[in-house]
């Protein structure tokens, strides 16, 4: 087999076989196929796409390029959840405890922040003492004991994806739906769960800016999951506006805890209940309606909050800050942002809100950047709200006052104020299964 022939085959629009895909990925990871040939292949995929069988074959090959986690040491149904990334997206911290409280298991490997989006592992590490790097034995032990454990992704999970992603990043091939689907699903297949819930974000703060593209990506990922023998469902959820009110690592933990206490913002609570219900459905806990009721009960009864406390304790974290979020270390400086005029907030660019938070120290500029866990933004007014000139619409938090001017400018540029109240958008646009795309708006 020659890589040259495989590039030509793809360039001409034909589909590679599973054997050819396996050859290409194995040889690429071994360094016997150079980056320039793989770049040409990726660009050919960008223009010609891939068939369903081909996408599955590439995903399997990428998944098998590293460790395939075996979760059989954990009793019960293990359900994974993956978000395509957003701003203020702290859903894992709420859903995982809800699902565990209802009897399914969450053995989850999460990522760190990337660009304008936050990462669950960074958020968890803002809890003093919290360990997110655990060996397999401890990971299994905690899931069996508490029902859930969230750790960082193991170093050898789908190494081919790391190499391919770095190459896509510099060859203008990141925004290819089949390549995104392969990248995400290879890691999900390698993580070894029984069922997978995909939270595909859509809007200004998401990878996919339109509902149509988000549905197309969801359909590809659901088909890969199902064809690989995993029960897979996707929800298309809104990321045109940041989710909830808090952006930033410990600020998001605080909001997640408030939500688990039943005092969270209504958008965040509703999205979490729908995601949790779908995870419980994948765990065969009942009909979607029954699962929704179970999730609601886990919140109302405080059982989900107890699960989060148990997990934090088992992972070495200081549970006193969860019991009383007032004990979280706070940023020494706070800076109010005032509305520049009177009217309705007609739109917020969620990506810019995320960048403004990162500029305050909540995100990384380079891979080596140190995070300021207490930095971030508390949003008072969101799209659809009526504001008066001079009213505080958000508060910026940072450890260095000199960061406020640029972050405030970025934040204000993200907010549009007009005379007309904008139409309310749905929080969940669609539910995508193997059989169907159910539009929910
Ligand atoms: N997230 C991933 O893991 N891979 C992509 O290609 C895009 C988003």
């Amino acid at each position: 087999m020659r890589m040259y022939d495989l590039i030509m085959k793809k360039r001409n629009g034909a589909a590679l076989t599973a054997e050819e895909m396996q050859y290409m990925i194995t040889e690429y990871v071994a360094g016997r196929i150079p980056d320039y040939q793989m770049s040409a292949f990726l660009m050919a995929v960008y223009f010609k796409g891939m068939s369903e069988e081909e996408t599955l074959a590439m995903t399997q090959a990428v998944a098998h390029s590293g460790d395939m986690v075996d979760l059989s040491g954990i009793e019960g149904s293990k359900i994974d959840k993956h978000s395509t990334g957003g701003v203020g997206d702290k859903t894992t911290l709420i859903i995982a405890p809800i699902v565990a409280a209802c009897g399914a298991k969450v053995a989850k490997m999460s990522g760190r922040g990337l660009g304008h989006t936050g990462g669950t592992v960074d958020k968890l590490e803002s809890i003093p003492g919290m360990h997110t790097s655990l060996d397999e034995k401890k990971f299994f032990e905690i899931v069996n004991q508490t029902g859930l454990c969230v750790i960082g992704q193991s170093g050898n999970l789908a190494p081919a994806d790391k190499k391919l992603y770095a190459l896509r990043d510099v060859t203008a091939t990141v925004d290819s739906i089949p390549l995104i689907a392969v990248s995400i699903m290879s890691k999900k297949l390698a993580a070894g769960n029984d069922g997978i819930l995909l939270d595909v974000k859509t809007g200004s703060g998401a990878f996919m800016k339109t509902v149509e593209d988000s549905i197309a990506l969801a359909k590809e990922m659901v088909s890969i999951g199902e064809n690989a023998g995993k029960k897979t469902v996707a929800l298309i959820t809104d990321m045109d506006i940041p989710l909830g009110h808090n952006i930033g690592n410990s600020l998001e933990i605080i909001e997640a805890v408030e939500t688990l206490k039943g005092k969270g913002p209504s958008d965040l609570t509703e999205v979490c209940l729908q995601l949790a219900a779908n995870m419980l459905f994948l765990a065969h806990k009942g009909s979607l309606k029954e699962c929704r009721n179970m999730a609601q009960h886990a919140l109302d009864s405080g059982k989900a909050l107890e699960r989060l406390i148990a997990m934090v304790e088992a992972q070495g974290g200081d549970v006193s800050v969860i019991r009383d979020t007032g004990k979280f270390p706070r940023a020494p400086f706070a800076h109010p942002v005032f509305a520049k005029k009177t009217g309705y907030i007609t739109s917020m660019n969620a990506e810019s809100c995320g960048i403004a938070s990162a500029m305050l120290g909540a995100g990384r500029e380079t891979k080596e950047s140190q995070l300021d866990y207490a930095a971030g933004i508390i949003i008072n007014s969101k799209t659809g709200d009526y504001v008066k000139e001079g009213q505080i619409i958000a508060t910026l938090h940072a450890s260095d006052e000199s960061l406020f001017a640029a972050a405030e400018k970025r934040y204000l540029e993200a907010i549009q104020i007009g005379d007309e109240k904008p139409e309310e958008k749905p929080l969940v646009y669609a539910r995508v299964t193997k059989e169907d795309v159910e539009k929910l708006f």
Side-chain angles (χ1 to χ4, degrees):
M1 233 179 266
R2 294 193 319 152
M3 184 62 182
Y4 179 90
D5 298 328
L6 303 185
I7 297 168
M8 188 149 72
K9 195 171 175 184
K10 188 75 263 171
R11 185 203 69 184
N12 293 341
L16 268 60
T17 64
E19 198 191 352
E20 287 168 336
M21 276 296 180
Q22 187 63 54
Y23 161 82
M24 184 183 76
I25 297 298
T26 311
E27 294 300 292
Y28 179 57
V29 173
R32 289 187 288 270
I33 289 176
D35 279 348
Y36 56 81
Q37 282 193 309
M38 186 53 89
S39 306
F41 177 80
L42 294 172
M43 192 55 87
V45 171
Y46 185 90
F47 284 111
K48 297 290 179 182
M50 286 198 286
S51 71
E52 195 172 328
E53 295 76 27
E54 208 181 3
T55 313
L56 175 66
M58 184 166 178
T59 310
Q60 301 266 34
V62 174
H64 282 87
S65 67
D67 298 341
M68 295 295 287
V69 181
D70 175 5
L71 294 181
S72 58
I74 298 170
E75 300 135 29
S77 245
K78 280 91 49 182
I79 309 298
D80 204 352
K81 180 231 126 190
H82 180 86
S83 156
T84 55
V87 178
D89 179 9
K90 65 282 290 173
T91 55
T92 295
L93 303 159
I94 301 159
I95 301 162
I98 293 179
V99 169
C102 297
K105 297 284 165 60
V106 183
K108 184 155 171 49
M109 292 187 200
S110 284
R112 295 192 180 275
L114 192 66
H116 67 281
T117 66
T120 304
V121 168
D122 291 331
K123 293 170 200 177
L124 283 172
E125 287 180 355
S126 73
I127 302 171
M130 191 77 178
H131 296 294
T132 59
S133 177
L134 303 174
D135 64 27
E136 193 174 279
K137 185 166 171 283
K138 187 78 185 157
F139 181 47
F140 286 14
E141 201 179 286
I142 294 177
V143 182
N144 277 327
Q145 173 201 330
T146 68
L148 74 165
C149 184
V150 182
I151 58 171
Q153 197 174 291
S154 104
N156 200 34
L157 203 80
D161 177 61
K162 277 199 195 83
K163 229 179 140 181
L164 286 169
Y165 195 90
L167 197 59
R168 285 167 58 210
D169 212 14
V170 292
T171 56
T173 50
V174 167
D175 56 342
S176 149
I177 288 180
L179 293 178
I180 296 174
V182 167
S183 169
I184 293 175
M185 292 307 289
S186 60
K187 289 169 284 198
K188 294 292 107 183
L189 297 188
N193 283 277
D194 305 317
I196 304 165
L197 178 70
L198 300 162
D199 178 7
V200 181
K201 303 283 184 199
T202 194
S204 66
F207 242 97
M208 296 286 133
K209 307 289 182 205
T210 67
V211 176
E212 291 69 33
D213 279 352
S214 305
I215 290 178
L217 175 62
K219 281 166 83 172
E220 291 234 8
M221 293 197 290
V222 168
S223 130
I224 294 171
E226 291 281 347
N227 289 334
K230 309 273 181 194
K231 200 85 201 83
T232 310
V233 168
L235 291 189
I236 313 295
T237 69
D238 185 67
M239 190 35 73
D240 210 36
I241 306 171
L243 194 54
H245 289 126
N246 293 11
I247 313 173
N249 296 290
S250 63
L251 291 175
E252 292 193 38
I253 297 275
I254 292 169
E255 191 169 46
V257 172
E258 290 302 305
T259 305
L260 286 168
K261 288 179 179 164
K263 293 183 281 185
S266 58
D267 60 343
L268 177 62
T269 306
E270 176 57 26
V271 169
C272 286
L273 284 170
Q274 292 207 33
L275 290 168
N278 275 280
M279 286 177 79
L280 292 168
F281 179 79
L282 287 169
H284 306 289
K285 294 286 176 193
S287 67
L288 206 49
K289 189 160 185 285
E290 286 163 345
C291 290
R292 161 89 193 208
N293 291 339
M294 284 170 71
Q296 182 75 59
H297 182 254
L299 262 191
D300 297 344
S301 62
K303 289 206 157 52
L305 179 63
E306 276 170 29
R307 289 299 91 214
L308 180 71
I309 291 173
M311 179 189 97
V312 169
E313 187 155 41
Q315 292 186 229
D318 177 0
V319 290
S320 72
V321 298
I322 305 292
R323 290 208 168 92
D324 175 4
T325 53
K327 291 190 175 161
F328 255 109
R330 295 287 172 136
F333 301 104
H335 177 86
V337 179
F338 301 104
K340 288 276 174 260
K341 59 182 198 178
T342 297
Y344 290 101
I345 297 185
T346 52
S347 70
M348 295 175 82
N349 183 303
E351 180 170 346
S352 287
C353 297
I355 293 171
S357 172
M359 288 164 80
L360 294 166
R364 290 182 185 81
E365 291 231 326
T366 66
K367 272 205 298 206
E368 289 72 33
S369 301
Q370 276 293 106
L371 290 181
D372 179 351
Y373 289 126
I377 303 174
I378 298 182
I379 301 170
N380 297 64
S381 307
K382 292 176 54 169
T383 303
D385 289 344
Y386 186 77
V387 295
K388 290 224 161 97
E389 186 183 337
Q391 177 181 330
I392 297 176
I393 54 170
T395 307
L396 312 182
H397 296 260
S399 298
D400 175 353
E401 280 182 291
S402 71
L403 299 174
F404 286 139
E408 178 180 28
K409 182 168 180 292
R410 186 82 197 210
Y411 189 79
L412 281 170
E413 281 165 5
I415 311 289
Q416 302 302 319
I417 298 177
D419 295 333
E420 300 260 316
K421 188 173 167 67
E423 213 175 286
E424 203 172 322
K425 291 200 179 152
L427 291 170
V428 181
Y429 284 87
R431 179 171 186 264
V432 180
T433 59
K434 186 173 70 165
E435 296 81 23
D436 196 19
V437 175
E438 187 191 347
K439 293 244 170 80
L440 302 170
F441 61 102

